[in-house]
Amino acid sequence: MRALSHRLCISGATSPDGHVRLRQPRTTAENCSICCSFSSRLPTLALRCPMRVEAVGATGGNSRWERSDDVSNGPCSYAVGDRRVEDLAADGGNDEVVGVSEEGNKAVKVVVAAGVTVVMGVGNRVLYKLALVPMKQYPFFLAQLATFGYVIVYFSILYIRHHAGIVTDEMLSMPKAPFIAVGLLEALGAATGMAAAAILSGASIPILSQTFLVWQILLSTIFLGRRYKVNQLFGCFLVTLGVIITVASGSGAGNSLKEGGIFWSLLMIVSFFLQAADTVLKEVIFLNATRKLKGGSLDMFVVNSFGSAFQALFICFLLPFLSKLWGIPFTQLPNYLRDGAACFLNIGTLSSGCDGAPLLPLLFIIVNMGFNISLLHLLKISSAVVSSLASTFSVPISIFMFTLPLPYLGVASSLPTGFLAGAIVLVVGLLIYTWTPSNGSSGASFSAST
């Protein structure tokens, strides 16, 4: 309950007997102001009028002094503490306005981050296809170059940020067990995905990748206790359906799935399960770090650096298995890596047919790194499902980009017959997911009666 107090601004003078005579100046609605001052807990409200103070000595002699002080800040204005409410209103001074402003700023940040993620996702898909033009014989070398190259780049950025004071010692002292789990999930996800991709057709993989969103929703519900509204679940369903329509139309993906076999399709689904678990685990890491850092935010390069380091470590253990998946005997792996490096650098007699290197592979690695950073940043400020939706939205845009006359790819491909229908379904799904029913807004207000 708010404590209410009134202070009458008076004019008066001392009488010969030492008492104070009070004179209430004329007070009207035009020259009255209201002052509201707050203690640490409870606010108090005081009426403030133009003030005239007249003090006369006890003997009524010549020691008379007079002061007139108009304390009003304007017609019918009031102040909170030592600030006028007009200023606070302009600043969003009350708690509710501040909360709404913060939510609005966060929404803008999420939208901008999602847009950057979509752009990076499109560039990542397109440049990967372009990078494989000179590296078509050495895709395994390109994958391992990216994996181990990220460790060097991420830790270099982490060192710079730590030296600049952005990354604190407390951040670096976070428990490493979650990062080990991140590295293991990413390594296993890559291994199972490579194994299945070697058998399945290219048209079926984007369709199976839509299980990634389903896994994220399920894992977020189990491990984060997150509850999704009906419109969000329906929106995710439409997004998945839209991508499937876009990819499958005219590509014979249904027959490709049958030809690939149920085992390899299930293995690819397991790969996306591992990747979804990885993103949810990263979200858990950020949430736990906020509590351990007492409201502070864990720098994402800490997660990227240590996660990539442990992923590279597990990849080393899996190299015999992974090389066999790519049809490279483990004993011949050193020669393969040497030839892949020569093609990547586009030097020597082994670089025949490597036109476009090293520019295209380097562009892919840089954009892929930017995509991973933007995806992790979006995950940090929103959720795993939102980051997944942004990544998914890049699929139909990438398909459209391949219809353009891109260099090194030769004849541009044509759009699937159901591309437009699938894109419309996908966009409608995104709109439904982000739509929030209006419950009305209740603003805090108060009035004083005298």
Side-chain angles (χ1 to χ4, degrees):
M1 186 174 190
R2 294 186 176 179
L4 185 65
S5 67
H6 296 275
R7 294 198 308 258
L8 293 179
C9 304
I10 59 175
S11 64
T14 56
S15 63
D17 56 359
H19 293 84
V20 178
R21 297 194 307 272
L22 304 179
R23 288 187 221 162
Q24 176 89 30
R26 186 183 59 172
T27 302
T28 63
E30 289 78 10
N31 60 12
C32 250
S33 65
I34 300 174
C35 176
C36 182
S37 62
F38 283 82
S39 66
S40 60
R41 291 184 177 271
L42 299 176
T44 60
L45 185 68
L47 182 65
R48 179 179 291 174
C49 309
M51 180 172 65
R52 181 182 180 85
V53 179
E54 183 179 332
V56 183
T59 61
N62 294 329
S63 59
R64 184 175 182 273
W65 59 272
E66 178 176 301
R67 179 181 176 186
S68 177
D69 185 11
D70 185 2
V71 297
S72 64
N73 294 313
C76 297
S77 66
Y78 59 98
V80 177
D82 60 348
R83 298 186 62 191
R84 292 187 304 162
V85 167
E86 293 98 312
D87 299 333
L88 288 174
D91 296 341
N94 59 59
D95 292 340
E96 184 174 353
V97 174
V98 171
V100 172
S101 177
E102 289 178 353
E103 290 180 2
N105 291 336
K106 181 179 179 181
V108 171
K109 290 179 181 179
V110 171
V111 170
V112 172
V116 173
T117 302
V118 171
V119 172
M120 288 292 183
V122 173
N124 180 61
R125 292 174 182 273
V126 173
L127 285 172
Y128 178 67
K129 192 76 172 179
L130 290 173
L132 286 179
V133 172
M135 303 294 294
K136 57 182 177 293
Q137 301 296 330
Y138 307 100
F140 182 71
F141 171 84
L142 182 62
Q144 304 317 308
L145 177 66
T147 299
F148 291 93
Y150 292 165
V151 177
I152 299 175
V153 174
Y154 284 147
F155 270 100
S156 299
I157 296 175
L158 183 64
Y159 173 79
I160 295 173
R161 293 173 73 85
H162 180 253
H163 188 71
I166 301 174
V167 176
T168 63
D169 293 335
E170 192 176 7
M171 293 180 187
L172 296 176
S173 64
M174 293 288 293
K176 300 302 184 291
F179 300 130
I180 295 175
V182 165
L184 179 61
L185 288 172
E186 291 181 348
L188 291 177
T192 53
M194 286 181 183
I199 304 299
L200 296 173
S201 67
S204 60
I205 294 175
I207 295 177
L208 294 173
S209 69
Q210 300 315 301
T211 58
F212 180 71
L213 182 58
V214 178
W215 288 126
Q216 280 191 329
I217 293 176
L218 183 61
L219 293 173
S220 296
T221 302
I222 295 174
F223 294 101
L224 297 176
R226 189 162 288 142
R227 297 294 178 264
Y228 295 93
K229 299 176 182 178
V230 175
N231 67 292
Q232 292 176 318
L233 295 175
F234 184 62
C236 289
F237 169 75
L238 289 181
V239 169
T240 300
L241 181 62
V243 174
I244 292 175
I245 293 174
T246 300
V247 175
S249 298
S251 65
N255 293 331
S256 299
L257 285 172
K258 293 179 181 178
E259 294 172 359
I262 187 65
F263 172 78
W264 299 107
S265 298
L266 290 176
L267 187 62
M268 180 60 75
I269 292 174
V270 169
S271 170
F272 290 116
F273 166 77
L274 294 170
Q275 296 176 43
D278 170 55
T279 58
V280 172
L281 178 57
K282 288 178 180 177
E283 188 174 358
V284 172
I285 291 174
F286 282 121
L287 293 174
N288 291 338
T290 301
R291 290 191 290 267
K292 292 179 180 179
L293 298 176
K294 298 179 181 179
S297 178
L298 180 64
D299 191 85
M300 62 182 178
F301 282 98
V302 176
V303 180
N304 263 343
S305 299
F306 287 103
S308 297
F310 288 114
Q311 179 191 7
L313 179 63
F314 287 115
I315 287 290
C316 289
F317 294 139
L318 294 172
L319 270 180
F321 171 71
L322 293 175
S323 64
K324 185 177 181 180
L325 288 176
W326 287 95
I328 307 167
F330 185 69
T331 55
Q332 298 181 13
L333 187 59
N335 292 333
Y336 172 86
L337 294 177
R338 183 199 61 196
D339 296 346
C343 182
F344 173 78
L345 298 173
N346 200 7
I347 57 175
T349 58
L350 297 175
S351 62
S352 176
C354 299
D355 296 336
L359 177 61
L360 293 178
L362 279 177
L363 283 176
F364 162 69
I365 292 174
I366 293 172
V367 173
N368 181 258
M369 189 179 302
F371 172 65
N372 289 330
I373 293 173
S374 64
L375 197 64
L376 188 61
H377 174 67
L378 181 59
L379 170 68
K380 179 181 177 180
I381 65 175
S382 60
S383 68
V385 173
V386 172
S387 63
S388 176
L389 289 172
S391 179
T392 300
F393 189 65
S394 66
V395 174
I397 301 178
S398 302
I399 294 175
F400 174 76
M401 290 295 295
F402 286 122
T403 64
L404 303 178
L406 298 174
Y408 297 100
L409 291 182
V411 181
S413 60
S414 59
L415 282 176
T417 55
F419 176 84
L420 183 59
I424 292 174
V425 172
L426 186 148
V427 172
V428 170
L430 288 175
L431 293 176
I432 291 176
Y433 178 87
T434 56
W435 174 72
T436 302
S438 177
N439 296 325
S441 59
S442 58
S445 60
F446 66 89
S447 60
S449 60
T450 58

